[in-house]
Amino acid sequence: MVQIRVEYFAILREHVGCTHEALSTPAATVGDLYAELDRRHAFPALGHLKVAVNDEFCEWSTPLRDGDSVVFIPPVAGG
Amino acid sequence: MKRFDFSRGAVDLVACRAQLADPAAGAYASFEGWVRNHNEGRAGVLRLEYEGYEQLGVKEGERIIAEALARFDIGDARCIHRLGELDIGELAVWVGVSAAHRDAAFAACRYIIDEVKHRVPIWKKEHYADGNSGWVNCEACAAHAHA
């Protein structure tokens, strides 16, 4: 188990109803973590979702480490 | 000096432009993105709300500016994106580029705004006259999945 923090933005923040949560998870990768949280929160389908760990974009296969901060990034719409 | 930044208040365009002043520059090109009252065929947009993942956004924005400086023969470049609630007609994003000549200034300006729109983690929520609201580029997928 690792202790991690997840931050939510925009449509995911509104869906989950909070800006962040701290949790203890058996997930080995950020992809596994998404699957675990999707079971709990039933995230809306968002097409191409990206992910960041510790404020850098990363692959879904990135291993989770104790203390990581994870952000799932819905399709962006700046400008 | 951050070359890409977010702003929660109105952007001072005179100050922004002054940051790019350079005796070697013969050209300055800028782009302003404004909040419009319609989107993707839907009229009645009353206002917008921008939300950003700022810690990653400033890094990605800085990378885009660095790429523009490497790809085009320009002197300097900056970009500022608004966050929070904006009314119709307000400036949402500004890009400025100085260069010796105009071709590179125009091209770099175009490159920066295109990349910012595609890569920087910023989300836009539209509020409509009928009382509905929606996150641009997110709701269509969600609605399709639920249909």
Side-chain angles (χ1 to χ4, degrees):
Chain A
M1 301 286 274
V2 289
Q3 306 287 327
I4 56 116
R5 173 188 165 94
V6 181
E7 277 192 74
Y8 296 108
F9 290 94
I11 194 169
L12 291 177
R13 172 181 56 73
E14 289 186 348
H15 179 84
V16 174
C18 64
T19 59
H20 65 277
E21 61 181 324
L23 66 153
S24 177
T25 175
T29 66
V30 294
D32 294 342
L33 174 68
Y34 184 82
E36 178 190 331
L37 291 172
D38 190 28
R39 284 192 293 275
R40 189 187 310 167
H41 298 302
F43 293 135
L46 289 169
H48 189 62
L49 199 70
K50 291 184 181 177
V51 63
V53 171
N54 302 331
D55 301 332
E56 283 296 354
F57 288 112
C58 69
E59 302 296 323
W60 288 100
S61 58
T62 302
L64 272 183
R65 296 191 172 83
D66 224 29
D68 277 349
S69 177
V70 181
V71 179
F72 303 117
I73 301 173
V76 301
Chain B
M1 167 62 68
K2 281 187 193 169
R3 294 182 294 190
F4 177 95
D5 209 354
F6 291 105
S7 173
R8 294 195 169 272
V11 175
D12 180 348
L13 291 175
V14 174
C16 287
R17 187 173 167 278
Q19 291 177 358
L20 294 167
D22 175 1
Y28 162 76
S30 67
F31 172 81
E32 294 179 25
W34 296 354
V35 178
R36 63 167 177 256
N37 66 359
H38 62 96
N39 189 35
E40 292 175 358
R42 182 163 187 169
V45 177
L46 294 184
R47 61 192 166 85
L48 290 186
E49 191 181 325
Y50 283 104
E51 182 168 334
Y53 172 9
E54 296 184 59
Q55 294 92 331
L56 177 55
V58 292
K59 289 185 192 177
E60 190 69 358
E62 180 60 35
R63 279 191 282 263
I64 291 167
I65 302 277
E67 288 164 16
L69 284 159
R71 290 169 73 120
F72 304 99
D73 188 12
I74 58 175
D76 205 354
R78 296 277 193 282
C79 179
I80 296 178
H81 202 294
R82 288 285 306 275
L83 294 179
E85 300 226 337
L86 276 75
D87 292 322
I88 303 303
E90 278 197 87
L91 181 140
V93 58
W94 169 82
V95 179
V97 178
S98 61
H101 303 286
R102 68 186 180 282
D103 281 353
F106 278 126
C109 194
R110 178 66 191 253
Y111 177 82
I112 292 167
I113 187 60
D114 286 354
E115 295 300 309
V116 165
K117 286 173 76 85
H118 284 114
R119 291 165 49 186
V120 178
I122 299 166
W123 300 276
K124 173 163 51 184
K125 188 177 193 178
E126 292 177 336
H127 294 268
Y128 307 104
D130 62 9
N132 289 322
S133 61
W135 291 98
V136 175
N137 295 344
C138 291
E139 304 289 347
C141 293
H144 183 70
H146 295 154

